[in-house]
Amino acid sequence: MAQKVLLFGDIGIDDTIAIIYSFFNKDIELVGIVADYGNVSRETAVNNVYYLYDLFGIEDGPPIIGGAEVPMTGEYPMYAQEVHGESGLGPITPSDYEGESENFFEIVKLIEKYQDDLIIVNIGRLTSLATMFILYRSLMKKVDGFYIMGGAFWVPGNVTAVSEANFYGDPIAVQIVLRYAHNATIIPLNVTQQAIVTPEMVDYIAYKGKTKIIKPLLDYYYDFYKESNPDIPGSPVHDVLTVMASIRDDLFTYETFPIHIVEATEEIQRGQSIANFMESDMAESDELDRPHRIAFDLDYPKFFNDFMSIMTGQPFNSKNSS
């Protein structure tokens, strides 16, 4: 039976690839998409999901739920247009869709309906997820687990030297989620930066013709990454990997540590994720630094086989890559 997934995202390029992957994977049943601010505004994020539904002919897709507009820090959000393009879809500018998003509290109905059959995957800012923990802490205990793309442990960040974008964007929300989530798995930059999709992979997927927009999206994404690192062999698909994690534990090597998130206002420290590997046993009862499972390594051949098989619609293995 397919894993029921409620997806929270700030629908930019890699979020879009993650949604497309979920559409095509028979082992995943998306039951809802919460569209948040982050890479783009909430309004644009909602519009991007409608665009995908239209592009792939999805008439009765999972409900599109309007999420948070601003972080819990009270700041005006800064969008990532330099990474994802003005509309969040690289060179693509979707038309404005007339459909309205569902009320935020549709999330409550979904959790009540599916309960421990449900996994929440958060691939954007954590503001909406934190709001659910503030308002419905008991209800959130019924969710089977949480998979969160965020953080950078013992590797450089992608916003500051120590901070990853999702944790940097609303560190208050991150602290709330990690304090109250009972079964959270963190998929940080440590592993997502290993999930590289090369131009050759993109060209082959585009040749198969199933994914429609993957080539313009990932070509645009790759151009951005090459500017900062000319030697990078392809685009890291952070959000796809986090969706994969919800059904493929075998892709990763995990460790469990208490995690502390720095809420400092200083730019370089804000949103820093710190794993306290010295006190993993002592911190079991400390809600301020509750232990969570962190991915530290990725089996790339398994990632490659899974990604290529789902995105091309045919069995694939790493021996076909040459």
Side-chain angles (χ1 to χ4, degrees), residues 224-237:
F224 165 78
Y225 277 102
K226 283 191 296 185
E227 285 187 12
S228 58
N229 180 8
D231 296 326
I232 195 168
S235 306
V237 286

Side-chain angles (χ1 to χ4, degrees), residues 91-318:
I92 300 169
T93 303
S95 300
D96 291 334
Y97 287 82
E98 295 181 358
E100 294 184 0
S101 60
E102 298 286 344
N103 186 283
F104 182 80
F105 297 101
E106 183 71 17
I107 298 170
V108 174
K109 296 178 183 179
L110 291 171
I111 295 174
E112 289 176 338
K113 179 178 180 179
Y114 296 113
Q115 301 197 29
D116 60 0
D117 289 330
L118 181 67
I119 282 176
I120 287 178
V121 176
N122 198 116
I123 53 177
R125 309 300 188 259
L126 280 79
T127 313
S128 289
L129 189 56
T131 300
M132 289 300 300
F133 276 105
I134 291 171
L135 298 177
Y136 297 100
R137 185 177 174 188
S138 295
L139 178 66
M140 297 300 279
K141 293 178 181 178
K142 297 180 179 181
V143 177
D144 186 55
F146 304 87
Y147 286 78
I148 297 165
M149 191 281 122
F153 299 91
W154 302 303
V155 298
N158 60 357
V159 175
T160 74
V162 296
S163 301
E164 177 276 331
N166 288 337
F167 282 17
Y168 178 90
D170 193 347
I172 294 173
V174 181
Q175 195 73 282
I176 290 169
V177 171
L178 297 186
R179 182 170 300 172
Y180 295 121
H182 60 281
N183 186 15
T185 297
I186 313 300
I187 310 297
L189 287 181
N190 307 55
V191 293
T192 64
Q193 64 188 5
Q194 300 175 39
I196 295 292
V197 177
T198 67
E200 292 78 15
M201 294 165 67
V202 171
D203 287 344
Y204 186 78
I205 293 169
Y207 165 74
K208 299 303 291 184
K210 185 181 179 184
T211 58
K212 300 182 187 292
I213 60 170
I214 188 173
K215 182 169 174 58
L217 291 182
L218 287 183
D219 283 353
Y220 187 98
Y221 209 39
Y222 186 35
D223 286 343
F224 165 78
Y225 277 102
K226 283 191 296 185
E227 285 187 12
S228 58
N229 180 8
D231 296 326
I232 195 168
S235 306
V237 286
H238 312 281
D239 296 342
V240 177
L241 190 65
T242 308
V243 172
M244 283 184 181
S246 69
I247 57 170
R248 291 291 306 271
D249 257 8
D250 61 306
L251 294 178
F252 304 92
T253 300
Y254 290 106
E255 298 288 345
T256 299
F257 297 117
I259 302 171
H260 178 71
I261 305 300
V262 176
E263 297 179 12
T265 56
E266 291 81 359
E267 285 294 301
I268 196 168
Q269 294 176 319
R270 170 181 167 145
Q272 181 181 9
S273 49
I274 302 170
N276 188 352
F277 64 92
M278 298 181 65
E279 299 182 7
S280 57
D281 294 330
M282 294 172 58
E284 284 288 346
S285 61
D286 182 0
E287 285 195 340
L288 294 179
D289 288 319
R290 175 177 287 188
H292 294 293
R293 192 170 65 152
I294 308 169
F296 279 102
D297 202 8
L298 172 68
D299 187 325
Y300 184 82
K302 287 183 178 179
F303 160 78
F304 176 92
N305 294 341
D306 186 296
F307 185 79
M308 293 299 290
S309 296
I310 297 301
M311 298 305 243
T312 62
Q314 67 179 54
F316 213 93
N317 63 68
S318 55

